[in-house]
């Protein structure tokens, strides 16, 4: 009898395990199958949040509810996404994502579409034309790896210098191979460059810091970064979510004519559509 009881208990436990697993699978599949289930999108405060608020309104017309979750830093949105606390995020460019994945390969995050461009540009309070910039001029660029590399690519693209690899998003000052006019490259904290402009001949400034300094890349710069630069911002999700139909809906809405017009009208050239 004791042996029979053990057998019956074992069979019952196996049955319960199979049922539980089956129920879990059905619930998961049902969630995946619902193209209109609400989604949480992580953004950084400021322009990304403002754009996503507009996307939220447009998505509701498509039957998709969006909850915009704001962060005050660039690290947390990727951590939250990797932990499935978010459905996707919109706050970074491709090189930043690549650097994050190199550091945290277990995150399994992927780009799903392009969003906006925060164009880096070259400004000056001393010169109104590029032709007036003298040999030996002092050029201010950001001192952090990502923005510093981006500034060097802009300078190389505009003919100021040459680099070992004109497409390298990890370029440093040490990678300059030609500097025919002996420009002095001064590396400064990115946020401080606008204030340092009186002491510089020209300065390469990120759009977000230019905006704070009331500088418009499209109107106030000597030269502006090309639109097809590798630092376009991207919409990111997990590998598991990449084929979710809600991603297609979000792409449709984000890259719609209505949202593009909102970006153009609202930011007036300081931020441009990257799609």
């Amino acid at each position: 009898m004791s042996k029979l009881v053990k057998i019956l208990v074992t069979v019952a436990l196996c049955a319960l395990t199979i049922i539980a697993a089956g129920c879990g699978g059905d619930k998961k599949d049902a969630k995946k199958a619902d193209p209109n289930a609400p989604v949480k999108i992580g953004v950084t405060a400021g322009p990304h949040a403002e754009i996503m608020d507009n996307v939220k309104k447009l998505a509701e017309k498509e039957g998709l509810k969006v909850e915009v979750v704001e962060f005050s830093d660039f690290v947390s949105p990727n951590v939250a996404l990797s932990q499935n606390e978010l459905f996707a995020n919109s706050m970074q460019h491709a090189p930043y994502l690549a650097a994050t994945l190199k550091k945290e390969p277990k995150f399994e995050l992927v780009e799903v579409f392009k969003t906006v461009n925060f164009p880096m540009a070259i400004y000056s309070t001393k010169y109104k034309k590029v032709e007036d910039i003298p040999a030996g001029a002092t050029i201010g660029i950001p001192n952090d790896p990502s923005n510093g590399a981006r500034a060097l690519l802009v300078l190389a693209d505009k003919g100021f210098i040459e680099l070992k690899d004109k497409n390298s998003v990890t370029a440093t000052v040490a990678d300059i191979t030609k500097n025919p006019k002996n420009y002095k490259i001064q590396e400064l904290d990115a946020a401080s460059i606008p204030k340092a402009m009186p002491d510089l001949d020209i300065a390469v400034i990120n759009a977000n810091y230019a905006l704070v300094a009331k500088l418009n890349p499209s109107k106030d710069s000597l030269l502006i970064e090309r639109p097809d630069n590798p630092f376009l911002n991207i919409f990111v999700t997990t590998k598991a979510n990449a084929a979710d139909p809600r991603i297609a809906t979000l792409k449709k809405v984000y890259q719609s004519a209505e949202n593009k017009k909102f970006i153009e009208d609202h930011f007036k050239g300081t931020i441009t559509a990257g799609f």
Side-chain angles (χ1 to χ4, degrees), residues 39-42 67 69 71 76-88 238 241:
V39 293
K40 290 184 178 182
I41 309 298
E67 180 182 341
V69 183
F71 293 86
S76 299
N78 280 335
V79 174
L81 179 56
S82 70
Q83 295 174 346
N84 294 312
E85 294 172 7
L86 300 171
F87 178 72
T238 60
N241 289 339

Side-chain angles (χ1 to χ4, degrees), residues 1-259:
M1 180 66 71
S2 176
K3 185 175 181 180
L4 178 59
V5 170
K6 288 182 179 180
I7 292 173
L8 290 172
V9 169
T10 300
V11 171
L13 288 172
C14 289
L16 286 171
T17 300
I18 292 170
I19 291 170
C23 291
D26 290 343
K27 185 177 180 181
K28 185 177 180 181
D29 290 342
K31 184 178 179 182
K32 283 186 176 180
D34 185 358
N36 297 317
V39 293
K40 290 184 178 182
I41 309 298
V43 296
T44 45
H48 283 301
E50 292 172 43
I51 295 170
M52 195 52 57
D53 283 338
N54 188 60
V55 169
K56 175 181 178 179
K57 295 175 184 177
L58 296 174
E60 288 179 352
K61 297 178 182 179
E62 298 288 329
L64 178 61
K65 292 185 178 180
V66 174
E67 180 182 341
V68 182
V69 183
E70 287 192 28
F71 293 86
S72 59
D73 66 278
F74 290 94
V75 177
S76 299
N78 280 335
V79 174
L81 179 56
S82 70
Q83 295 174 346
N84 294 312
E85 294 172 7
L86 300 171
F87 178 72
N89 67 40
S90 180
M91 37 60 67
Q92 64 194 312
H93 51 55
Y96 183 84
L97 176 62
T100 298
L101 294 180
K102 185 176 181 180
K103 185 178 180 181
E104 302 287 352
K106 293 182 180 180
F107 277 8
E108 296 190 341
L109 308 181
V110 293
E111 171 190 339
V112 283
F113 60 85
K114 308 293 184 187
T115 56
V116 292
N117 180 36
F118 288 69
M120 184 173 265
I122 299 173
Y123 302 85
S124 177
T125 56
K126 296 181 179 179
Y127 307 103
K128 294 184 178 181
K129 296 180 180 179
V130 175
E131 296 78 14
D132 296 334
I133 300 170
T138 299
I139 303 175
I141 70 169
N143 62 3
D144 61 285
S146 179
N147 290 314
R150 185 177 185 179
L152 290 171
L153 292 181
V154 171
L155 291 171
D157 185 56
K158 304 305 180 183
F160 288 87
I161 58 173
E162 289 186 22
L163 297 168
K164 288 180 183 178
D165 181 355
K166 64 180 182 179
N167 297 310
S168 174
V169 295
T170 58
T172 67
V173 172
D175 295 318
I176 297 175
T177 55
K178 289 185 180 180
N179 184 359
K181 292 191 176 182
N182 297 312
Y183 295 118
K184 298 181 181 72
I185 308 297
Q186 188 170 342
E187 297 176 276
L188 304 166
D189 176 73
S192 71
I193 295 179
K195 292 182 180 179
M197 285 179 66
D199 299 318
L200 302 168
D201 290 297
I202 61 174
V204 190
I205 305 175
N206 294 75
N208 54 321
Y209 297 124
L211 187 60
V212 172
K214 297 183 179 179
L215 295 171
N216 186 316
S218 300
K219 298 177 181 179
D220 302 320
S221 67
L222 294 176
L223 294 167
I224 192 168
E225 186 177 42
R226 56 188 172 88
D228 61 339
N229 70 81
F231 294 89
L232 287 176
N233 280 252
I234 55 177
F235 200 84
V236 176
T237 190
T238 60
K239 288 183 179 179
N241 289 339
D244 191 298
R246 290 170 293 181
I247 289 292
T249 300
L250 288 164
K251 180 179 181 180
K252 175 186 175 182
V253 170
Y254 199 109
Q255 297 188 345
S256 67
E258 293 93 333
N259 196 46

